[in-house]
Amino acid sequence: MRVLGVDPGLTRCGVGVVEGVAGRPLTMIGVGVVRTPADAELGDRLVAIEQGMEQWLDEHSPGYVAVERVFAQHNVRTVMGTAQASAVAMLCAARRGIPVALHTPSEVKAAVTGSGRAEKAQVGAMVTRLLRLDAPPRPADAADALALAICHIWRAPAQNRLQQAVAAHRTSGAPRTLGANRSQPAPGISRTPGASRTPAASRTPRTLKGPTA
């Protein structure tokens, strides 16, 4: 499995390609950053990100693209730029028919370090160790992109099994008809043909006669 991880951002968009399968050593194929000038027009910056993504897709031909899921931040301008860069990455992958997966920062940290609250330095250190690198990738956006790819490789088998199980349940489960089993008597109880089904509440009550004076 070859995965392109994308840590979206307008100024620096981290990209990293990792190859391997869960349970076996992973290999880094490439890592880098797609940069855009902060003073450029928004449209031009998005075009630059698209061109950079297309180059990475052409060069490495990944089977999957893993993008960091955008989460709420106090800085609305920052989260908007992240969302826009994320959309460009997903568009480039979808246009080629490449499956796209979204992972939250907590999911990535937990997958790589074992803790969803790990610091960036811990993530970089674990990425270096898992990929057997000489030093942590720089900048941190590049290390985060590799962490996203690692996370997807490790989580994809479980996610695929869950999706297959849900799909199998939907296709094999026959719809139940309302009242289909109401005609069947309870175990150990037999009904006599033609027996009255008058509710107990509607039956004429018996009159109890007291002692005669």
Side-chain angles (χ1 to χ4, degrees), residues 4-161:
L4 170 64
V6 180
D7 182 41
L10 273 180
T11 304
R12 293 187 308 273
C13 185
V15 286
V17 182
V18 178
E19 191 170 60
V21 295
R24 296 185 180 181
L26 305 177
T27 302
M28 184 188 76
I29 305 300
V31 65
V33 176
V34 178
R35 300 177 184 271
T36 66
D39 57 350
E41 293 292 332
L42 175 60
D44 295 335
R45 301 180 73 180
L46 295 177
V47 169
I49 293 175
E50 180 195 20
Q51 292 173 345
M53 289 298 305
E54 292 291 347
Q55 291 176 1
W56 277 83
L57 293 172
D58 286 338
E59 181 176 354
H60 299 290
S61 301
Y64 300 87
V65 173
V67 183
E68 182 179 273
R69 185 185 296 275
V70 178
F71 63 98
Q73 294 180 348
H74 296 295
N75 191 330
V76 177
R77 183 177 180 180
T78 300
V79 74
M80 285 296 295
T82 303
Q84 291 161 344
S86 176
V88 171
M90 290 188 287
L91 171 64
C92 291
R95 190 160 50 199
R96 295 170 179 246
I98 302 175
V100 178
L102 300 177
H103 299 286
T104 66
S106 296
E107 289 174 347
V108 176
K109 293 176 182 179
V112 175
T113 70
S115 172
R117 298 182 178 181
E119 300 293 335
K120 280 188 174 291
Q122 293 176 279
V123 174
M126 285 304 300
V127 167
T128 303
R129 178 179 177 183
L130 293 170
L131 298 179
R132 305 177 303 281
L133 306 177
D134 296 331
R138 292 286 185 267
D141 309 87
D144 290 344
L146 292 173
L148 275 157
I150 295 172
C151 173
H152 185 71
I153 291 174
W154 284 354
R155 291 174 61 93
Q159 291 177 339
N160 291 339
R161 287 194 296 269

